[in-house]
Amino acid sequence: MKSLHDLTNTERAKLLYDLFPAEMPCFLKDLTNVCEELKEQKEKYLKEWDCAPMTFDFWFSIVADIADMLKRHNFIMSKSSTVFSDQLFFKHYSFFMNDRIIKYADRKSENEKFKIAVNLLYKLKE
């Protein structure tokens, strides 16, 4: 097994899914809701945007792509750690998805072990 430092975003997501498969349908539902809310409130977020390394249009295109993937593949993503991680945590999607998994763990999840795993995989720096 690779060290934590050497895991890719896709590998981290797959590991988290494999450890907590029952948590993923709840996360996917929350992610779908977040994407819809962001699309509905696009103008508000555009006015408040202050993330210098990334333009709002680029960030919003990621949200739109993820929302589209969720519509097409939600069922299989809730059943397969490989599809979940390969589709949602690949390349530039990981910017948004890493943030969302951390926020979900902090704000929505009631599973303390899941929260610890998210902290370990996404927040701790070696």
Side-chain angles (χ1 to χ4, degrees), residues 43-94:
E43 294 304 316
K44 174 187 169 218
Y45 287 100
L46 176 59
K47 289 178 187 175
E48 298 172 356
W49 188 253
D50 68 351
C51 185
M54 186 182 309
T55 67
F56 178 81
D57 288 337
F58 179 68
W59 179 80
F60 196 77
S61 73
I62 291 171
V63 172
D65 287 350
I66 289 171
D68 185 51
M69 276 190 273
L70 290 169
K71 284 181 185 168
R72 288 182 291 135
H73 305 295
N74 196 311
F75 178 77
I76 192 71
M77 283 183 195
S78 68
K79 304 290 182 202
S80 169
S81 63
T82 301
V83 174
F84 172 84
S85 59
D86 286 350
Q87 294 295 309
L88 295 175
F89 289 84
F90 183 68
K91 293 196 178 188
H92 60 278
Y93 296 138
S94 63

Side-chain angles (χ1 to χ4, degrees), residues 90-101:
F90 183 68
K91 293 196 178 188
H92 60 278
Y93 296 138
S94 63
F95 294 124
F96 179 74
M97 292 303 302
N98 290 349
D99 178 65
R100 290 313 322 160
I101 200 86

